[in-house]
Each structure stands twice: as structure tokens, then as C-alpha cells.
Amino acid sequence: MTIDVCGATNWDKDVDKRKAAYIFLEATKHYEQDNVGSYYSLLNRAYELDTTDTSVGFEKGMMDMILNQNDSVEFFKAHALSRRHFDSHPEDYYSSIKYGMITDKIGWRDESVRVWRVLDSIFTENVDITLRYADALSASIDSAEIAKAVATYNRIEVAEGKDAGITSRKIRAYSAIKDTANIVRELTLLLESSPNNSDFNVFAGEIYNYLGDDEKALEYLNKACTLDPSNGKAFFERANFYKEIGDSVAYDQAVFNVLKHDELDLEAKLQLLTGYIRALYSDSTQQTRIEELLMVLQEQHPHQYKIHELYGAYLATIKDFPRAAEQLSYALDIDPSSEQVWSQLIALSANTDNRKLKVDAIERALHYFPQSPMLIYQSGLIYSVIEEPEKAMECFYKALPLSDYNHELKSDILCSMADSYYKNAMSDSAFVYYGKAIEVNPDNMLALNNYAYYLSEKGIDLDRAERMSARTVVAEPENVNSLDTYAWIFFKKKNYDMARKYIETALKYSEKPSAELNHHAGDIYFMSGDPQKALEYWKEALKLEPENELLKKKVKHKTYFYE
């Protein structure tokens, strides 16, 4: 008896092909059910059984490209696998489109041109494919390729009619080779096709602005506004034009006119007003005008969340924290779903003297987000500020286990717990928690600084304190608190030259008077042999802290006292 080896082999191959087809079908079902892991496993198994099926190979290649974006060797293999199917079956519309789009995405222009050219020859009536082919050609800086791109765009215009979008693409292509004459020609043809089209005139204004012809840009923008007074985009672009050329008077008036424009959508108005605020917020003479514009928007759209949010952001920028909190509160009354905005409201309330506002902010926030570690932590900070240490610590302990996924937040919570312990004369516990905060996040500069400072205050482990403080100074060389701590550690170590060097740097960067900084400066100057300078700083400190008995003694006796 003999065995037909070739026949058996062919039979096995046919069986594997049928198995592969079945497994591929099952893989597709898993994909439709969003079971991506199962899909990929089945896909690989189908490909192992039949490497000749280009459809299976295509899908495997697409998945492998996603999974191997950082491995160029594997990525190229995956791309080649997908390309194989395209070359074999370019008429497979959906696969070919996917292949073309991913080739565009990775920036292989020559391959993109080839793919879209082939598809354009097959799907001759598909404008989207023709457009993609033209776009791929126009990505060149070669004049011959640009000419092909323009010819392809023209083919679309013959079928679809003149369109600002196609003209824009042609202009962009000509811009790549700095062909100003053809840019103007295309623009002229567009305007001639419909001279009273307000949108075309807006487009002309934008292009002439791009070309640096301010006179023509304004001419067409003005014409667009006249042709269609309801065209909000025309008024919007004209306002931006005035801003770009630095005509602040015209810009100011144009912004006001745009905001009163009923036809312009709210998003465009907010975009324009945001730019206006950014340009002028630092000019105190413009604050009344900015608020007037914000009030106009509020009157037009009384229940719009984003207007109150923008108003609040502006008020916070000019440090009007109570009114900023009020505006954010209005926004949250309309839509309380943003945890981030609740966090902003709590932060704003912390900068006010209004105790009720602070408590209301945290209570309302926790009503909507009772398990938010950030909001619970912020609540603890508020309770610390209003001198309710037990409630503060309760919040910190509650937030701690909820923050396991966020090491930076967890470290901040531990640091705040340490601060609270130290404030309540529990320095041993404080030092334990500072250590934990730094262990969780070695780059927590506040924990490093506070730990170092309080060690120096206690006069213990000064070498460790110096190392920690040095890290904060290197990381933030203009941070006054870090510099003050570093100087104070050197003072405690009786290295008065270094102490003086760093306290002088701290004083240089200090933007507002500080009793503690001046007090330290006085002590350091005294020990450095300059009692007159020391007395000046002690007096400055006493002005800021008139009830400080130690300072009173130093000023009265003009000498240093330990306590």
C-alpha cells in the first residue's frame, strides 16, 4: 500500500484554509463586540493557518501597526502585510481606504500618492477619493506635483462647481512654492464666480491678510459685512484683522459690535472675547470695558455656563477672588457636573476672607463628588485655614486611601497632615509624615522645604535638612521660601557667610513684605557682624508683626536674643 504524500499535503492545506476562514469569521464577531483582545488572538491564529489569505494578513497588519508604533522594524513588516492586500485587491473599497488613511497618517507621501492615484482610477466618481489624491500631491514642494494637484482640484470643481474650500486647497498648494501670481488668480476666479457671496469675500480678506496686503484685506472684509449683515464670521474676522494690525481703537469697537451681533454663534463670540481679554486684561484702564462686554454676553445668554466660567476666569486673573468665586458658583448652578470647576471654586474661596463662602464651596462640591480625593483634600485645606484642625485631619485621612492611584496627590495629602501635626506641637508625628510624603513623591518640593525648615527650627539633623533644602533651591532657584529655609539652615549651622548669601537672594526675589523673612534677615545680619542692618530688618519685621515679643526685645535692646 502506498501513500500519496502530495495529496495528503494538499488536503491538509485545504483544511487549514477552511479553519482559518472560520476563525477569521469568529474574530470579526469579537471585533464587532469590542473584544479587541480576543479579536487579535483569533486573527493571529487565522494567519498562522493561512498566510496566503491577504484579507486576514491586511487586518493583522493594521493591528500590528497600532501595537508596534515604537518598533520601526515590526511596524514596517505590518505595513507591508497590509500593502500586500491593497496591491492584490485595490477594489476592496473599505480596506483600501483604511490603508490609504494610515499611510497618510504616517507621512509616507510617495506611497499616499500611489494609493490615492490607484483608487482615483478605480472609483472615478468618488469626490472624496479624488480630493485625497489631490491633497497627497499638494504636499510636495515640487512644481510639477503641484501642477498635478491643481489639475485634480480643477477636475473636482468642474464636477462640483466653484467652492472656497477647493480654492483654499489650491492656494495652499501654490503657497508651498511661493506662487503669489497664481494665488491671486485663483482668488479672482472664485470672486468672479459669485462676486456678492459674503463668505467668498471673507475668504478673500483672509488671503490678502496672509499676503500682507492690509488695504485689500480690509476692503473685502468690509464688503463681506455690507453684503450680509447677518454674517457673523465676517464681523468676527474683521475684528481679528484689526487686532493683528494693532489698531486697538478699531479692534475695541469691532469686538463690541461682534458681541452685539445676534447671528453669530456663542462659541465664536467666546473665542473672540477670550482673545480680547488675553490682549488687554493687564491694562487696568480696560477692565471696565471688558466687564461691560461680559455683561452684554450674559444679557444675551443668561443661562450659559461658559460665559460665567469665562467671567470667573477673568476676575481670578485680576485677583478679584470673591467675585470670581461668585461667577463660578453661577456656572455650577447651571451645570454642576465638572469636578475640575468645583476644585477651582474651592481654590478661589480659599483666597477670600469669607468663611461662609469657603464652607459652602466645599459642602456643595462634596455633595456632587463625595468620593473625590482632590475635593476632600481641598476641603481639609479649607478647614485648616479656618482653624478647624480636627475636621481638616478627618478630611486628610479620608482622602488618603482614595488617592492611591495618584502619587503626587497622595504625597501632598501626607505633607498637609505633617503640617497639621507640626502646627499642633506634634513634631515627631510631623516628621514621620514628611518622610512618608517624600517617599511617595521624592520631588515634592513643599514637603522637602517644610521638613528641612522644621528640622532647623528644632536644631536637629541639620545635615539632612541642608541636603533636602539644597534640592529645593536647585529645582526652584527663585523661590523665596526655599531660599529663606536654606539661609536659615546655614544660620543654625553657624555658617553665617552662606546664610547671608542666600537671605540676600531671598530678599532680592521677594515681591511682598514678609515678617518672617525680615526677622531672619535681621538675625543673620547681626551674626554676620552688621548690627545696624540687622536693626533695620527687625524694625521692618515688627511693623508687619507688632505683637511679636521677641522682635520687640531685639529692636528695643538693638541686639540678638535667642528667645
Side-chain angles (χ1 to χ4, degrees):
M1 182 177 178
T2 61
I3 300 175
D4 186 348
V5 177
C6 293
T9 302
N10 289 335
W11 171 261
D12 290 342
K13 286 182 179 179
D14 288 341
V15 170
D16 284 345
K17 284 179 181 291
R18 287 194 294 271
K19 285 181 181 178
Y22 173 76
I23 291 171
F24 183 48
L25 183 62
E26 287 299 307
T28 303
K29 291 178 183 177
H30 281 275
Y31 182 81
E32 290 170 352
Q33 295 168 2
D34 290 328
N35 297 326
V36 179
S38 299
Y39 167 70
Y40 186 58
S41 297
L42 291 168
L43 194 60
N44 278 317
R45 179 56 182 152
Y47 183 71
E48 286 173 6
L49 289 168
D50 185 6
T51 59
T52 65
D53 189 327
T54 62
S55 295
V56 176
F58 175 82
E59 295 299 339
K60 174 176 166 55
M62 295 299 288
M63 283 296 294
D64 284 346
M65 276 190 276
I66 294 171
L67 296 172
N68 292 287
Q69 294 180 51
N70 297 319
D71 185 335
S72 58
V73 173
E74 291 302 317
F75 187 89
F76 281 122
K77 287 181 183 177
H79 187 269
L81 206 51
S82 294
R83 176 176 176 164
R84 181 185 66 160
H85 181 69
F86 172 77
D87 289 342
S88 301
H89 301 285
E91 76 286 350
D92 182 349
Y93 179 81
Y94 292 106
S95 294
S96 293
I97 292 293
K98 282 170 66 176
Y99 177 69
M101 290 174 70
I102 199 165
T103 303
D104 286 346
K105 186 175 180 180
I106 59 182
W108 292 354
R109 198 194 74 84
D110 290 346
E111 179 65 357
S112 290
V113 170
R114 184 184 79 89
V115 169
W116 296 116
R117 182 178 64 245
V118 169
L119 293 178
D120 182 50
S121 68
I122 297 172
F123 304 100
T124 55
E125 302 299 319
N126 190 312
V127 174
D128 183 60
I129 287 176
T130 306
L131 193 58
R132 288 180 180 276
Y133 174 41
D135 287 347
L137 286 165
S138 71
S140 173
I141 55 172
D142 178 76
S143 57
E145 293 283 270
I146 295 298
K148 289 180 185 178
V150 171
T152 308
Y153 288 132
N154 287 339
R155 179 153 53 92
I156 296 171
E157 282 191 330
V158 168
E160 302 288 316
K162 274 288 181 184
D163 176 79
I166 297 298
T167 299
S168 175
R169 280 174 152 89
K170 286 195 276 186
I171 286 173
R172 186 165 59 245
Y174 283 130
S175 295
I177 57 173
K178 298 180 173 56
D179 189 345
T180 304
N182 268 318
I183 290 174
V184 173
R185 185 180 68 82
E186 286 295 338
L187 198 54
T188 302
L189 289 172
L190 177 69
L191 290 168
E192 286 176 352
S193 72
S194 184
N196 294 324
N197 185 309
S198 180
D199 288 332
F200 286 3
N201 280 275
V202 172
F203 179 65
E206 292 172 330
I207 296 301
Y208 278 114
N209 184 26
Y210 163 74
L211 293 174
D213 191 334
D214 293 347
E215 185 177 343
K216 277 191 173 293
L218 185 56
E219 174 190 337
Y220 283 107
L221 290 172
N222 282 336
K223 184 178 178 182
C225 293
T226 303
L227 285 170
D228 184 4
S230 68
N231 187 341
K233 180 175 171 56
F235 288 88
F236 177 82
E237 292 299 335
R238 185 168 66 176
N240 275 330
F241 170 77
Y242 284 129
K243 179 185 175 184
E244 285 183 23
I245 65 172
D247 189 339
S248 58
V249 175
Y251 174 55
D252 189 79
Q253 187 59 48
V255 170
F256 193 74
N257 289 338
V258 168
L259 294 185
K260 292 193 299 182
H261 206 291
D262 292 334
E263 299 299 324
L264 188 63
D265 66 78
L266 179 61
E267 287 297 326
K269 289 181 179 180
L270 286 171
Q271 181 185 345
L272 184 64
L273 186 54
T274 300
Y276 184 81
I277 290 172
R278 284 175 181 161
L280 299 174
Y281 81 90
S282 59
D283 183 351
S284 60
T285 64
Q286 295 292 332
Q287 290 179 8
T288 302
R289 178 66 161 167
I290 291 172
E291 292 206 39
E292 181 183 1
L293 294 173
L294 285 161
M295 290 303 296
V296 167
L297 266 190
Q298 283 193 340
E299 288 171 7
Q300 290 177 336
H301 309 277
H303 303 297
Q304 281 293 337
Y305 170 93
K306 289 185 177 180
I307 299 172
H308 292 293
E309 188 178 23
L310 176 60
Y311 201 169
Y314 165 67
L315 292 169
T317 301
I318 63 170
K319 302 190 184 309
D320 189 342
F321 299 118
R323 291 176 62 215
E326 181 182 40
Q327 286 298 325
L328 279 196
S329 186
Y330 292 151
L332 289 163
D333 284 341
I334 296 167
D335 181 2
S337 64
S338 173
E339 181 179 347
Q340 181 181 357
V341 179
W342 281 113
S343 177
Q344 291 170 0
L345 176 62
I346 294 172
L348 286 171
S349 73
N351 283 292
T352 73
D353 296 325
N354 189 327
R355 185 183 188 281
K356 184 178 185 304
L357 180 64
K358 293 171 181 162
V359 174
D360 284 350
I362 58 179
E363 288 181 350
R364 290 175 62 201
L366 292 178
H367 171 75
Y368 288 102
F369 296 95
Q371 296 300 309
S372 163
M374 174 56 77
L375 297 182
I376 297 169
Y377 169 53
Q378 286 183 288
S379 300
L381 295 177
I382 293 292
Y383 282 125
S384 294
V385 169
I386 63 176
E387 303 294 336
E388 294 194 33
E390 291 183 2
K391 284 188 176 181
M393 195 61 84
E394 182 182 332
C395 289
F396 296 148
Y397 271 109
K398 183 177 179 182
L400 195 60
L402 297 173
S403 65
D404 284 340
Y405 69 96
N406 185 335
H407 288 177
E408 288 187 8
L409 176 59
K410 186 170 187 176
S411 179
D412 289 342
I413 295 168
L414 289 163
C415 180
S416 294
M417 294 172 76
D419 290 342
S420 185
Y421 278 126
Y422 195 88
K423 188 176 180 181
N424 288 282
M426 301 170 66
S427 58
D428 288 345
S429 295
F431 293 153
V432 168
Y433 276 87
Y434 282 131
K436 289 181 178 181
I438 295 165
E439 183 181 348
V440 171
N441 177 17
D443 294 322
N444 187 331
M445 294 300 141
L446 183 62
L448 286 164
N449 179 76
N450 290 4
Y451 195 3
Y453 181 72
Y454 292 135
L455 284 173
S456 70
E457 282 287 270
K458 292 287 184 182
I460 59 175
D461 211 349
L462 293 177
D463 288 340
R464 183 182 185 188
E466 182 185 335
R467 289 194 299 273
M468 289 191 293
S469 184
R471 286 192 58 202
T472 70
V473 171
V474 169
E476 301 171 339
E478 297 181 12
N479 185 300
V480 175
N481 288 332
S482 297
L483 291 164
D484 179 36
T485 296
Y486 204 36
W488 196 239
I489 292 168
F490 284 122
F491 175 81
K492 289 286 188 171
K493 296 180 80 171
K494 296 182 171 53
N495 187 340
Y496 300 125
D497 288 340
M498 290 295 286
R500 183 166 175 167
K501 173 185 174 181
Y502 283 100
I503 203 69
E504 285 175 352
T505 308
L507 290 165
K508 172 186 171 183
Y509 290 119
S510 178
E511 294 180 354
K512 59 182 181 179
S514 163
E516 185 174 51
L517 184 62
N518 281 295
H519 195 164
H520 286 168
D523 291 358
I524 290 169
Y525 274 104
F526 187 87
M527 290 300 186
S528 299
D530 192 343
Q532 186 57 43
K533 195 78 170 173
L535 183 59
E536 290 175 16
Y537 281 110
W538 286 333
K539 285 180 178 179
E540 287 299 315
L542 190 58
K543 287 179 186 177
L544 298 167
E545 209 172 67
E547 302 305 315
N548 189 311
E549 295 300 327
L550 183 57
L551 275 170
K552 287 179 183 179
K553 285 173 63 176
K554 290 176 180 178
V555 170
K556 180 180 178 180
H557 298 284
K558 300 179 182 180
T559 191
Y560 178 80
F561 291 90
Y562 285 94
E563 58 181 43

